[in-house]
């Protein structure tokens, strides 16, 4: 439940503290995904899609369908 400004600070701090490491976090905000190298989309406990934001931000993916309004703005 972070506002967008605080979210940016938290993600920046995670990126700085975890350089050269694998970090896993969950989010429901597309803005949190802009700097990640790999996204795993889960549904009912299973990974159903995997890729970069650009790869998953394509029409026809489950990712695009759930984030469509935001996805169209960030494309």
């Amino acid at each position: 439940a972070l506002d967008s400004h605080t979210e940016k600070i938290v993600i920046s701090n995670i990126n700085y503290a975890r350089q050269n490491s694998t970090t896993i976090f969950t989010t429901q905000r597309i803005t949190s995904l802009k700097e990640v190298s790999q996204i795993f989309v889960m549904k009912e406990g299973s990974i159903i899609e995997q890729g970069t934001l650009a790869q998953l931000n394509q029409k026809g993916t489950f990712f695009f369908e759930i984030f469509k309004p935001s996805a169209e703005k960030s494309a």
Side-chain angles (χ1 to χ4, degrees), residues 10-71:
V10 169
I11 290 173
S12 177
N13 287 334
I14 289 171
N15 287 338
Y16 177 77
R18 302 294 297 164
Q19 292 177 14
N20 302 317
S21 298
T22 299
T23 304
I24 299 171
F25 70 98
T26 61
T27 187
Q28 294 178 343
R29 287 178 149 174
I30 197 167
T31 55
S32 301
L33 303 174
K34 290 184 177 183
E35 296 191 37
V36 303
S37 59
Q38 198 67 206
I39 300 167
F40 295 88
V41 180
M42 297 185 73
K43 183 177 181 183
E44 298 177 6
S46 297
I47 296 171
I48 60 167
E49 294 176 338
Q50 170 184 348
T52 65
L53 181 58
Q55 291 168 331
L56 295 174
N57 201 8
Q58 302 294 319
K59 288 184 180 176
T61 65
F62 181 77
F63 177 92
F64 184 85
E65 290 306 314
I66 59 174
F67 284 113
K68 189 174 182 177
S70 297

